[in-house]
């Protein structure tokens, strides 16, 4: 079938790309970027297939929507926990190194290639479909149009960030304008399909864009592992040697950091289990609002860390990081799980994979814009760089405050229903079409 052939091509491409990154001498970033794109496409392809199937089953069985998303995300976090346990040792010079780790990544593409080539996917040919409803054709055009617009915006903004050397204010203005324009397009293009769908798309995109993200904390607390690096204790008159140790910064080794990433993945799995057990029948708005409030409180731990409050309390940096990696992933996963449940339920028929890929692409694109906004915030603050990190506490506190911003979006774009509520189909009349598809409370589905 087409799906099987597609998966075979994706898996084989990923194996070849990972092997090339491992074995070929690459002197320029351009072939490296192309190979990384191909390797990621190999993994994204089955991801889209799984998401599309999950969306289709969530629409057919709304009472299982939360369970299906919990299964998908739980599987991801369980395997990611094992991967993160070893990645720190793998990338170390004494281990496989960066190139050797790329070779190891070929195993993930083999996990796509082998089941597809062996016919284990159970992909039976579908019976011929009846002629398409003109309205569904219109839905497909709208979804593909939004996907194309998202792709173009991401390419333009990424190219601007990578190659434009002019004033940063120009980059920020163009990024903000394109982001707002894309949100406006999503709302109006998808609203004729479903008001809940258009709201979900805009909310998923803007939540990521409104939360600034940077690697400045990692730069502050990590040990670069070099003999005369930032955490070295034996330095001569070298300003680049030992500056983190001299200032009593945490100096977390790469191996310990990878272990903490594994802990974070495991507790992300805990968050999935807790959501499925206790929060899956809460109203969307209640979970989102409560989640953002608790996420704000959890991220205040970062502020306490950069203020060195843990040292004043006699708590070791490694133990404190362990606590952070236990709390934040649980809260974040509980807060974000309803997003994926809602996205799966509002997918119209025949475009499940494409639409869910669009929604997840919007989530990733929004997160990328959040990184750009984080960089802009760093620029506005100033003094948030090594070795002094003079204004780092103020930056972290301001960044944490912004975690409350998406609460206002909840009441604008998120429906009032619950994940277990049935989804009404698209109305046929012009009057109902303006209202779109609604998530009706249980017991009221079909009531006008």
């Amino acid at each position: 079938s087409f799906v099987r052939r597609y998966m075979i091509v994706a898996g084989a491409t990923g194996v070849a790309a990972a092997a090339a990154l491992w074995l070929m001498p690459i002197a320029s970033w351009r072939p490296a970027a192309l190979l990384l794109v191909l390797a990621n496409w190999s993994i994204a392809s089955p991801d889209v297939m799984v998401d599309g199937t999950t969306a289709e089953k969530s629409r057919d069985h709304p009472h299982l929507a939360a369970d299906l998303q919990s299964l998908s995300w739980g599987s991801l976090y369980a395997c990611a926990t094992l991967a993160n346990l070893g990645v720190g040792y793998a990338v170390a010079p004494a281990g496989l190194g960066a190139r050797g780790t790329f070779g190891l990544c070929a195993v993930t593409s083999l996990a796509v290639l082998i089941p597809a080539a062996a016919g284990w996917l159970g992909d039976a040919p579908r019976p011929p479909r009846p002629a398409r409803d003109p309205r569904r054709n219109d839905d497909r055009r709208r979804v593909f149009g939004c996907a194309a617009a998202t792709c173009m915006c991401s390419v333009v903004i990424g190219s601007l960030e990578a190659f434009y050397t002019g004033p940063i204010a120009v980059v920020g203005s163009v990024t903000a304008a394109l982001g707002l324009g894309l949100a406006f397009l999503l709302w109006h293009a998808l609203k004729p399909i479903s008001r809940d769908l258009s709201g979900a798309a805009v909310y998923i995109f803007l939540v990521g864009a409104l939360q600034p993200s940077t690697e400045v904390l990692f730069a502050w607390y990590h040990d670069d592992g070099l003999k005369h690096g930032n955490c070295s204790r034996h330095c001569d008159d070298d300003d680049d040697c030992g500056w983190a140790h001299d200032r009593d910064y945490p100096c977390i080794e790469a191996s310990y950091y990878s272990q903490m990433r594994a802990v974070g993945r495991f507790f992300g799995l805990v968050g999935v289990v807790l959501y499925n057990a206790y929060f899956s029948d809460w109203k969307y708005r209640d979970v989102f609002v409560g989640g953002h409030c608790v996420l704000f409180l959890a991220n205040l731990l970062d502020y306490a860390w950069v203020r060195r409050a843990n040292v004043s309390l006699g708590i070791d940096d490694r133990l404190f990081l362990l606590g952070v990696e236990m709390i934040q992933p649980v809260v974040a996963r509980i807060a974000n799980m309803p997003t994926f449940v809602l996205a799966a339920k509002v997918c119209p028929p025949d475009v499940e994979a494409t639409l869910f890929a669009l929604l997840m692409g919007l989530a990733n694109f929004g997160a990328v814009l959040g990184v750009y906004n984080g960089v802009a915030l760093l620029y506005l603050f100033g003094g948030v760089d090594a070795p002094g990190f003079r204004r780092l506490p103020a930056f972290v506190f301001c960044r944490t405050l912004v975690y409350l911003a998406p609460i206002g979006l909840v009441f604008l774009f998120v429906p009032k229903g619950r994940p277990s509520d049935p989804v009404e189909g698209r109305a046929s009349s012009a009057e109902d079409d303006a209202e779109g598809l609604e998530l009706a409370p249980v017991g009221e589905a079909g009531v006008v």
Side-chain angles (χ1 to χ4, degrees):
S1 69
F2 170 76
V3 172
R4 181 186 177 191
R5 292 194 297 269
Y6 184 75
M7 298 284 275
I8 290 174
V9 172
T13 301
V15 172
L21 287 166
W22 174 27
L23 299 173
M24 289 178 57
I26 301 174
S28 172
W29 64 267
R30 292 179 179 85
L34 176 60
L35 291 171
L36 288 170
V37 169
L38 293 175
N40 279 278
W41 174 67
S42 171
I43 304 304
S45 298
D47 185 31
V48 169
M49 300 294 181
V50 171
D51 288 339
T53 302
T54 302
E56 182 179 354
K57 299 304 180 183
S58 296
R59 190 186 61 251
D60 296 340
H61 307 282
H63 63 288
L64 296 176
D67 295 327
L68 290 168
Q69 286 296 325
S70 298
L71 175 62
S72 296
W73 285 96
S75 301
L76 171 65
Y77 277 115
C79 294
T81 299
L82 299 177
N84 278 277
L85 283 173
V87 68
Y89 299 101
V91 300
L96 296 176
R99 281 186 172 272
T101 304
F102 278 121
L104 186 62
C105 288
V107 175
T108 59
S109 295
L110 283 173
V112 177
L113 175 61
I114 293 175
W120 297 345
L121 300 180
D123 185 32
R126 291 187 177 183
R129 290 186 176 183
R132 291 188 181 276
D133 187 326
R135 181 165 288 179
R136 289 192 177 182
N137 288 334
D138 181 62
D139 291 349
R140 290 173 63 87
R141 285 192 293 269
R142 290 177 178 276
V143 171
F144 278 106
C146 289
T150 303
C151 181
M152 286 189 291
C153 285
S154 64
V155 170
V156 170
I157 293 175
S159 300
L160 194 64
E161 295 283 346
F163 303 113
Y164 181 72
T165 57
I168 192 172
V170 174
V171 178
S173 299
V174 173
T175 301
L178 286 177
L180 291 175
L182 179 60
F184 183 83
L185 172 66
L186 292 168
W187 174 257
H188 287 280
L190 297 178
K191 190 175 180 181
I193 303 176
S194 160
R195 186 170 55 188
D196 288 338
L197 172 59
S198 61
V202 175
Y203 177 79
I204 288 171
F205 171 61
L206 290 182
V207 162
L210 287 177
Q211 296 181 344
S213 174
T214 71
E215 293 293 326
V216 67
L217 266 182
F218 178 77
W220 172 74
Y221 69 67
H222 90 291
D223 181 351
D224 59 21
L226 300 177
K227 183 178 180 180
H228 297 287
N230 64 330
C231 291
S232 176
R233 301 187 181 188
H234 305 286
C235 298
D236 298 324
D237 295 332
D238 184 357
D239 293 338
D240 294 329
C241 177
W243 53 263
H245 175 264
D246 294 342
R247 291 170 172 81
D248 195 31
Y249 293 164
C251 288
I252 303 296
E253 302 88 352
S255 58
Y256 187 83
Y257 177 70
S258 69
Q259 293 170 5
M260 291 304 97
R261 289 292 301 272
V263 170
R265 294 292 189 179
F266 175 76
F267 278 91
L269 174 61
V270 171
V272 171
V273 173
L274 289 176
Y275 172 80
N276 194 51
Y278 300 106
F279 302 100
S280 59
D281 201 40
W282 281 35
K283 293 181 179 179
Y284 289 112
R285 291 185 176 182
D286 292 345
V287 177
F288 283 134
V289 172
H292 285 301
C293 290
V294 178
L295 196 58
F296 162 75
L297 296 175
N299 277 274
L300 282 176
L301 292 172
D302 289 339
Y303 178 70
W305 197 16
V306 298
R307 296 291 298 181
R308 311 303 281 143
N310 62 301
V311 176
S312 300
L313 296 173
I315 302 175
D316 182 74
D317 285 312
R318 287 161 180 75
L319 183 61
F320 189 84
L321 179 59
L322 174 63
V324 170
E325 291 293 343
M326 291 170 60
I327 296 172
Q328 289 182 351
V330 173
V331 175
R333 185 46 46 199
I334 292 175
N336 292 332
M337 277 298 293
T339 302
F340 305 105
V341 177
L342 176 61
K345 289 190 63 176
V346 297
C347 287
D350 296 336
V351 288
E352 293 90 355
T354 304
L355 182 55
F356 206 85
L358 168 64
L359 294 174
M360 296 304 99
L362 287 169
N364 292 330
F365 184 32
V368 170
L369 290 186
V371 173
Y372 295 155
N373 291 331
V375 172
L377 193 61
L378 284 173
Y379 176 80
L380 291 175
F381 267 83
V384 192
D385 49 9
F389 293 104
R390 180 172 52 85
R391 304 192 68 186
L392 181 61
F395 167 80
V396 171
F397 184 73
C398 181
R399 183 212 65 181
T400 304
L401 281 177
V402 180
Y403 276 94
L404 296 174
I407 292 178
L409 301 177
V410 172
F411 300 99
L412 291 175
F413 300 114
V414 175
K416 298 180 180 180
R418 308 170 187 268
S420 58
D421 291 345
V423 181
E424 294 181 0
R426 179 175 178 172
S428 58
S429 68
E431 179 181 354
D432 290 338
D433 191 43
E435 293 298 322
L437 171 150
E438 296 291 340
L439 295 176
V442 174
E444 298 179 12
V447 177
V448 180

